[in-house]
Amino acid sequence: MRMRYLLCLLFYLLVWQLHGQHSIKIDSLNQMLEKDLSSSEKAYTLDELSYEWFSQNLDSSLQYGQKAYRAFSYLDDPKGLSQAATSVAVAYHYLSDWDSAEYYYSEALNIREENNQNAKVASSLNNLGVMFMDMEEYKKATDYYLRAMRTREQLDDSVSVAITKSNLGLIFKKQGIYDKALEYYLEAKQYFERLNRLNYLEVALLNLGAIYNTIEDFDKALVYNQQLLKLAKRRSSLRNLAKSYVNLANSFQGLDQLDSSLHYATKGLDFFESRNDSINISSSLLSIARYHLEKKDYQKAIFNALKMEKMNEVLDNKELAIENQLILAEAYAASGAYKQAYRRIRNALASKDSFLTKSLNATIANLTLKYEAEQKESEIAALKIANQESIISEQNSANQRNILLLVAGILVVGTVLLFLLLKTKSRANGIISKSLREKEVLLKEIHHRVKNNLQVISSLLSLQSRFIEDENAQALVNEGQNRVKSMALIHQKLYQKDNLTGVEVLDYIKNLSTTLQNAYGVNSEYVSVQYNVDELKLDVDTMIPIGLILNELISNAFKHAFPQGKRGELNISLVERSEKLLLTVKDDGVGSTKDAANSNSFGMRMIKSLSRKLEANVHFDFNNGTEASLTIANYKLYN
């Protein structure tokens, strides 16, 4: 307890020291304003005050920025006027006043373009990209980032490559394509470290920590969040320091260190509330609500989540809203308020569908435009080759009278043509490869979205089952939930692997059987599962019906074969023989007292229906347990 007190004391001393440094600078600038300054000196001092107040109080930052903007409006100083407009825009941006922020960002951009301040033009374009990113308008954000990139390329700015990679990482992060986001952020981090651009390095570390939290790799998340904490302290970057607290809170929560989680989440909330920073207040409240949910203090979880929901009515941040609705649903369900829980998860599903549709449409439109542009570029290259061949033909006809010149001309032109063909082919291959990579990213994203939506549907079924008193009806709903999970697992395996249309069969079957074993509470010490599965990769259209059939057969074994703690063994086999797949699920349990093959249950009807699609023969044997076997003729391997 004493050690914790000392750590808290050191923390407050550090924040007080950082706060004091800015306060000294602000006092010094205010003293300058009292002196007999020229109009230009006064305007620049006001703008500097806006900058210093930014990390202290956004309202004060906006106030001094507006004073600086008015002062520069009377001066012939485009550089100062554009800088003051940017200061005002940044304050409005972090106050979530989007219309005002866009107006002043655009005003700064116009001034800089008119006065050929190209480096500052790129900065303004980037600012607009960040703003539209925060507004979740990803297409506009991408357009501004690319314009900023082109401007910086013309200036031969070596830092621009790293900044663009960082921006692209943010786009993929917002779209939920985390593997690509990590790729870009890790590259950007290396650039910023080498170039000693510590302000950008803080942003890269912040996003790396947040992404690893999202994908639940909390050990890596903790490493990057602690790096950010150390760097932000050293550079007195108060806002990023506070953001590192929220990231650390989520990391410690994932590592089940809940006291540390609450400590950092509370520190982040205190800072952001003192700055009236709505977005980050919401993130802090979300972390605190999640903490109380983990501690099973459901009323406090609901209190903080409702507080965050009220704040988000103004922000309208879909990502935060979805996660908050799911927290409320879980807290209400655990408290026995199932109707409220059901309503919250329906809200989450509706918001998620709207958010994903908007995000996915923007991604598809962007990739389609790029693909069409690349196609046109390829066609132009082909026309150039055709024209070149025509010129060569005319030259050969004109030089027929001179054999030596003809031979020399053919050699020269042939060499040039070969060079052009090789160059064009290489370029075309590059275009095709780039297009394929983008389509793979899109396909991986679609699998990710489908898996997430199936998980939400599974949660809905789980909540719905709690309203059902009839045990048979409740069991049917739970079976439906397991069927949804079996399909979600397929899409999860697809977006986690490099091959996007093929499923590794052994890995999938092991995951499916483990999930069902846990769902039916079957102790692995009593019932062991053995596998005889070839190393196959099946096409997704083949794997989905096989997965649903396996779900029924394995579920039936776990439900009926081993009653009252009976020990036994379940054998699952899927092998390829003579251009057919042989699927067998066999248990040595109590067997069946009726002809299950002729049963009219929904599960049996589904097995028969899916078997017809696979052109499979189904056979049951009830001697010494239950054995179900299928000989599948219609299947597709993925190479």
Side-chain angles (χ1 to χ4, degrees):
M1 180 65 71
R2 184 177 181 183
M3 179 61 70
R4 184 180 297 174
Y5 172 78
L6 290 174
L7 289 173
C8 290
L9 180 60
L10 289 172
F11 165 76
Y12 282 117
L13 287 172
L14 172 66
V15 173
W16 178 83
Q17 182 183 13
L18 298 177
H19 177 80
Q21 291 174 359
H22 285 280
S23 298
I24 293 172
K25 185 70 178 294
I26 289 171
D27 291 341
S28 175
L29 291 169
N30 281 323
Q31 291 174 7
M32 285 186 61
L33 285 177
E34 296 175 359
K35 298 180 180 179
D36 186 17
L37 301 176
S38 67
S39 298
S40 178
E41 290 172 334
K42 182 177 180 180
Y44 276 104
T45 302
L46 289 167
D47 186 65
E48 186 69 15
L49 274 165
S50 175
Y51 174 79
E52 290 297 328
W53 272 111
F54 176 73
S55 61
Q56 300 288 315
N57 186 287
L58 287 172
D59 291 328
S60 296
S61 177
L62 175 61
Q63 178 184 356
Y64 281 106
Q66 289 172 328
K67 288 181 179 180
Y69 182 77
R70 287 193 295 270
F72 278 116
S73 298
Y74 295 104
L75 302 173
D76 184 17
D77 187 349
K79 178 182 177 182
L81 182 60
S82 64
Q83 181 56 50
T86 301
S87 297
V88 174
V90 169
Y92 275 128
H93 181 163
Y94 282 88
L95 288 167
S96 302
D97 186 342
W98 307 118
D99 291 337
S100 298
E102 182 178 3
Y103 173 82
Y104 281 100
Y105 276 140
S106 299
E107 179 73 6
L109 175 62
N110 293 334
I111 294 170
R112 288 165 173 175
E113 286 180 334
E114 290 173 2
N115 291 274
N116 297 319
Q117 301 172 15
N118 292 332
K120 292 295 185 180
V121 166
S123 178
S124 291
L125 291 169
N126 189 74
N127 289 338
L128 282 160
V130 173
M131 185 196 72
F132 281 114
M133 178 68 70
D134 289 342
M135 293 172 65
E136 299 173 358
E137 295 189 26
Y138 300 127
K139 181 63 173 65
K140 287 185 178 180
T142 302
D143 289 341
Y144 278 110
Y145 283 149
L146 292 176
R147 285 176 62 188
M149 178 63 179
R150 285 192 290 269
T151 303
R152 285 166 169 164
E153 284 177 338
Q154 293 171 359
L155 295 170
D156 195 23
D157 182 358
S158 59
V159 183
S160 65
V161 175
I163 294 173
T164 303
K165 287 184 180 295
S166 184
N167 291 337
L168 288 170
L170 188 57
I171 289 174
F172 283 113
K173 176 190 171 188
K174 292 285 186 178
Q175 298 275 337
I177 312 173
Y178 299 119
D179 55 343
K180 294 297 292 182
L182 288 171
E183 178 184 327
Y184 281 113
Y185 273 124
L186 288 169
E187 289 182 16
K189 173 180 171 289
Q190 292 177 352
Y191 273 97
F192 295 141
E193 286 175 336
R194 188 167 63 251
L195 298 169
N196 200 34
R197 298 303 294 262
L198 300 183
N199 54 333
Y200 291 115
L201 178 59
E202 286 183 7
V203 175
L205 292 171
L206 176 68
N207 283 284
L208 283 166
I211 293 171
Y212 278 119
N213 274 339
T214 301
I215 63 177
E216 299 183 355
D217 190 343
F218 298 111
D219 289 321
K220 286 185 179 178
L222 186 62
V223 170
Y224 289 111
N225 292 329
Q226 288 176 333
Q227 287 180 14
L228 173 61
L229 176 70
K230 182 178 179 181
L231 180 60
K233 282 181 179 178
R234 178 160 61 88
R235 299 187 66 249
S236 302
S237 301
L238 294 181
R239 190 170 299 277
N240 283 338
L241 180 62
K243 287 182 178 180
S244 76
Y245 296 151
V246 180
N247 269 6
L248 281 167
N250 296 331
S251 297
F252 281 121
Q253 197 167 105
L255 295 169
D256 203 28
Q257 299 180 32
L258 298 182
D259 289 340
S260 296
S261 172
L262 181 63
H263 170 79
Y264 281 109
T266 303
K267 300 312 171 193
L269 179 63
D270 289 345
F271 176 88
F272 292 123
E273 282 185 335
S274 70
R275 271 69 177 177
N276 196 25
D277 188 337
S278 304
I279 292 178
N280 288 301
I281 290 173
S282 298
S283 298
S284 303
L285 288 171
L286 202 62
S287 183
I288 292 173
R290 199 183 302 110
Y291 160 82
H292 288 299
L293 189 65
E294 293 291 331
K295 295 288 283 188
K296 303 187 186 308
D297 191 342
Y298 301 118
Q299 293 307 312
K300 286 186 178 180
I302 292 170
F303 172 80
N304 284 280
L306 289 175
K307 187 176 178 182
M308 181 269 170
E309 184 178 52
K310 183 69 175 176
M311 178 159 289
N312 200 44
E313 289 177 359
V314 178
L315 294 174
D316 193 30
N317 186 297
K318 291 290 191 299
E319 287 181 285
L320 294 177
I322 291 167
E323 187 173 357
N324 196 52
Q325 290 293 324
L326 293 175
I327 288 175
L328 281 168
E330 193 170 346
Y332 278 128
S335 303
Y338 297 121
K339 289 185 178 179
Q340 289 175 298
Y342 184 67
R343 180 167 62 87
R344 292 296 179 174
I345 205 163
R346 284 180 62 88
N347 290 345
L349 182 60
S351 298
K352 191 176 187 66
D353 185 57
S354 171
F355 173 65
L356 294 180
T357 301
K358 175 182 175 183
S359 168
L360 190 57
N361 286 342
T363 303
I364 292 171
N366 192 29
L367 291 177
T368 302
L369 286 172
K370 289 183 178 180
Y371 175 73
E372 291 173 352
E374 289 164 359
Q375 274 193 321
K376 291 178 181 178
E377 191 173 351
S378 181
E379 290 170 0
I380 291 171
L383 286 173
K384 286 182 178 179
I385 294 174
N387 291 336
Q388 186 66 36
E389 289 175 342
S390 176
I391 293 170
I392 292 169
S393 177
E394 291 175 3
Q395 288 176 343
N396 288 339
S397 298
N399 293 328
Q400 285 180 352
R401 291 172 298 178
N402 194 322
I403 296 176
L404 291 176
L405 291 177
L406 177 60
V407 172
I410 291 173
L411 289 172
V412 172
V413 173
T415 302
V416 172
L417 179 59
L418 180 61
F419 172 76
L420 289 174
L421 285 171
L422 290 173
K423 183 177 180 181
T424 304
K425 183 179 179 181
S426 175
R427 186 179 182 185
N429 288 339
I431 292 171
I432 293 170
S433 298
K434 182 179 179 182
S435 179
L436 285 173
R437 285 196 301 271
E438 290 175 338
K439 299 306 174 290
E440 287 176 357
V441 168
L442 177 59
L443 186 57
K444 182 174 288 190
E445 178 186 2
I446 290 171
H447 283 306
H448 193 191
R449 306 297 194 200
V450 172
K451 187 270 294 185
N452 285 347
N453 281 335
L454 287 171
Q455 284 185 335
V456 173
I457 293 170
S458 176
S459 298
L460 278 171
L461 290 171
S462 177
L463 282 173
Q464 183 65 49
S465 69
R466 300 185 186 185
F467 293 97
I468 301 173
E469 296 180 358
D470 183 86
E471 291 184 0
N472 291 329
Q474 189 178 57
L476 290 174
V477 173
N478 290 335
E479 288 175 4
Q481 183 184 4
N482 287 333
R483 293 179 185 117
V484 171
K485 285 182 178 178
S486 72
M487 291 187 290
L489 183 59
I490 290 175
H491 291 282
Q492 178 179 330
K493 295 299 177 186
L494 288 171
Y495 82 76
Q496 287 180 343
K497 302 292 183 180
D498 292 334
N499 46 61
L500 299 175
T501 57
V503 180
E504 293 179 356
V505 176
L506 178 59
D507 183 48
Y508 171 76
I509 292 177
K510 285 184 176 180
N511 277 274
L512 177 63
S513 62
T514 301
T515 300
L516 292 173
Q517 194 167 13
N518 292 332
Y520 289 105
V522 177
N523 192 330
S524 60
E525 294 182 0
Y526 288 88
V527 179
S528 65
V529 183
Q530 304 298 324
Y531 305 95
N532 176 31
V533 181
D534 287 350
E535 292 187 3
L536 300 172
K537 288 183 182 178
L538 290 178
D539 182 77
V540 64
D541 290 335
T542 303
M543 198 64 239
I544 286 178
I546 289 179
L548 289 169
I549 290 172
L550 279 168
N551 181 82
E552 296 303 313
L553 297 175
I554 297 171
S555 295
N556 285 335
F558 286 144
K559 284 192 296 182
H560 304 300
F562 310 104
Q564 299 177 349
K566 175 179 172 60
R567 295 179 180 271
E569 186 174 278
L570 176 65
N571 289 278
I572 304 172
S573 173
L574 182 60
V575 295
E576 186 181 26
R577 299 288 186 272
S578 303
E579 297 185 351
K580 290 186 179 181
L581 287 181
L582 304 181
L583 172 63
T584 305
V585 178
K586 175 177 174 55
D587 65 71
D588 58 358
V590 297
S592 176
T593 59
K594 62 179 182 178
D595 188 1
N598 297 320
S599 170
N600 197 34
S601 67
F602 174 79
M604 184 55 63
R605 291 204 307 272
M606 186 174 71
I607 290 174
K608 291 178 179 179
S609 175
L610 294 171
S611 297
R612 286 193 292 272
K613 179 179 179 182
L614 295 169
E615 298 178 12
N617 297 320
V618 186
H619 176 72
F620 288 90
D621 185 351
F622 302 108
N623 295 317
N624 300 319
T626 300
E627 178 179 350
S629 58
L630 288 84
T631 304
I632 301 169
N634 181 22
Y635 65 96
K636 182 179 179 182
L637 294 175
Y638 181 84
N639 297 320

